[in-house]
Amino acid sequence: MTPTTPAHEPDLLYSAEEEALRAAVRALLADRCDPATVLAGLESGRPHDPGLWRALATEIGVTGLLVPEGFGGAGATAREAAVVLEELGRAMAPVPYLTSAVLAVTALLGCDTDRAEVADLLAALAEGTTLGTLAVPLTTAPGDTGPAPVRADAAGRLTGRVTSVADAAGAGLLLVPAEGPDGPELYAVDATADGVRTEPITPLDLTRPLGHLTLDAAAGRLLARGDRARAALDRALLTGAGLLASEQLGLADWCLTETVRYTGERTQFGRPVGSFQALKHRMAALWLDVASARAAARNAADVLSGNGPEAPLAVAVAQSFCAPVAVRAAEECVQLHGGLGMTWEHPAHLHLKRAKADELALGTPGRHREALAGLVDLAAP
């Protein structure tokens, strides 16, 4: 009789260490990332807040959570990174955590970490001194990686154009998937090198800038090729999509909390508007959605932390559910704030724009539902 591997037992609760990490990140964000500061930063034209990024890297060390201790990181798991993303989503923090500390780091971990060059890049990302990004369109879903738009010649010179790369303008390190002479390859490219040009574009969500990346015979350092390069890219996208659900959870939770607070203070006809039954029903339904989204996001983070075979299933469930919940929570937040929610000064519009942009990032809900149907062998009607 063939022994079977025991099923992964999900742990959706937060540990004491995770709550301590949450408290530290939330306190820092409350001090340095209030809504007025975020709005002022958006008007400054900066791709991100460098001071806040340095504080997150040096005071708390969140930039190296997913990096093993041997490379200067914390050796933590996706569970801890998910807690950080929840808080960053709540605060709409303009920092490249998802792109640099999650996508870029996970892609590098899929390469040969015994190589000094890979180890040095991991150490730089862990310190936060280097910002990295994965040079794929932000809308790319796990498993949707076809032939790369960038071509590599035998000398490692890269030529091609990649559209809508998240945080490309502020990155110093570009991890570029390319089609080489013998198949897929993954390269490290210095963003300031000759032949590299980034064209910033105006995204819907100004807190996560996008740019079109053009490479014209740019010098690249080969990190992986063949199946290893493909697997590193797929794992990075899967991890990014799974942890994006935690960012969406934090966003939705802020919208719900802020809406309940506001409707408890705003009065009409001599009573708080939150006491009206119609609004109670809307907020109660939203609370149920946010609670369910928390379960889905926590499960994805927990499964990713164990690197189990059920990770694609957990990620597909989390993204197909959390993305629409974040949009609905942000829409309800704007609507139930009335005219105030439509103003530039109120942060509700930031959350709505991020929610709509995140709904497309790393695969739409429909794309993840399609993947989910295939994973559970459920044919579409």
Side-chain angles (χ1 to χ4, degrees), residues 108-373:
L108 283 173
L109 289 174
C111 302
D112 183 2
T113 55
D114 289 334
R115 291 178 54 191
E117 184 167 22
V118 176
D120 290 344
L121 292 176
L122 281 171
L125 292 179
E127 291 176 359
T129 54
T130 295
L131 298 181
T133 191
L134 189 61
V136 297
L138 183 58
T139 55
T140 306
D144 280 356
T145 51
V150 175
R151 296 291 182 268
D153 62 20
R157 296 285 176 175
L158 307 179
T159 300
R161 188 168 188 266
V162 188
T163 60
S164 302
V165 178
D167 294 312
L173 169 66
L174 304 172
L175 298 180
V176 183
E179 287 297 316
D182 299 316
E185 298 173 336
L186 182 65
Y187 286 85
V189 177
D190 185 345
T192 61
D194 292 338
V196 179
R197 182 168 59 88
T198 301
E199 174 192 348
I201 59 176
T202 302
L204 174 64
D205 171 22
L206 296 175
T207 64
R208 178 168 286 150
L210 302 177
H212 298 327
L213 177 65
T214 301
L215 303 173
D216 185 7
R221 292 163 287 167
L222 181 64
L223 300 177
R225 60 161 42 105
D227 291 341
R228 185 158 204 167
R230 185 182 294 107
L233 177 58
D234 287 344
R235 185 65 188 182
L237 292 172
L238 184 69
T239 303
L243 293 184
L244 178 63
S246 291
E247 178 182 286
Q248 292 161 333
L249 167 62
L251 185 159
D253 189 56
W254 182 92
C255 290
L256 174 61
T257 302
E258 177 63 19
T259 303
V260 170
R261 183 201 63 78
Y262 177 77
T263 56
E265 296 176 354
R266 174 75 168 90
T267 59
Q268 190 71 33
F269 307 114
R271 56 188 289 193
V273 297
S275 66
F276 299 153
Q277 190 175 37
L279 299 193
K280 284 183 179 180
H281 287 171
R282 288 172 68 170
M283 287 184 283
L286 187 57
W287 183 89
L288 289 172
D289 281 347
V290 173
S292 299
R294 187 177 305 279
R298 288 299 296 167
N299 182 61
D302 184 56
V303 171
L304 286 168
S305 69
N307 200 25
E310 65 270 37
L313 179 64
V315 170
V317 169
Q319 265 306 305
S320 60
F321 189 81
C322 293
V325 168
V327 172
R328 179 165 174 265
E331 290 175 341
E332 289 287 80
C333 183
V334 171
Q335 291 181 13
L336 297 184
H337 273 75
L340 175 65
M342 299 298 295
T343 61
W344 175 262
E345 291 75 14
H346 196 279
H349 70 92
L350 294 177
H351 290 77
L352 178 57
K353 292 169 184 174
R354 170 66 69 85
K356 292 296 289 184
D358 278 358
E359 193 175 28
L360 302 178
L362 301 174
T364 64
R367 172 64 185 83
H368 286 285
R369 284 193 291 270
E370 180 183 346
L372 178 59

Side-chain angles (χ1 to χ4, degrees), residues 32-46 49 91-94 206-207 343-351 353:
R32 295 173 176 259
C33 193
D34 60 280
T37 300
V38 175
L39 288 167
L42 298 182
E43 294 172 334
S44 71
R46 298 177 305 182
D49 185 338
M92 293 303 299
L206 296 175
T207 64
T343 61
W344 175 262
E345 291 75 14
H346 196 279
H349 70 92
L350 294 177
H351 290 77
K353 292 169 184 174

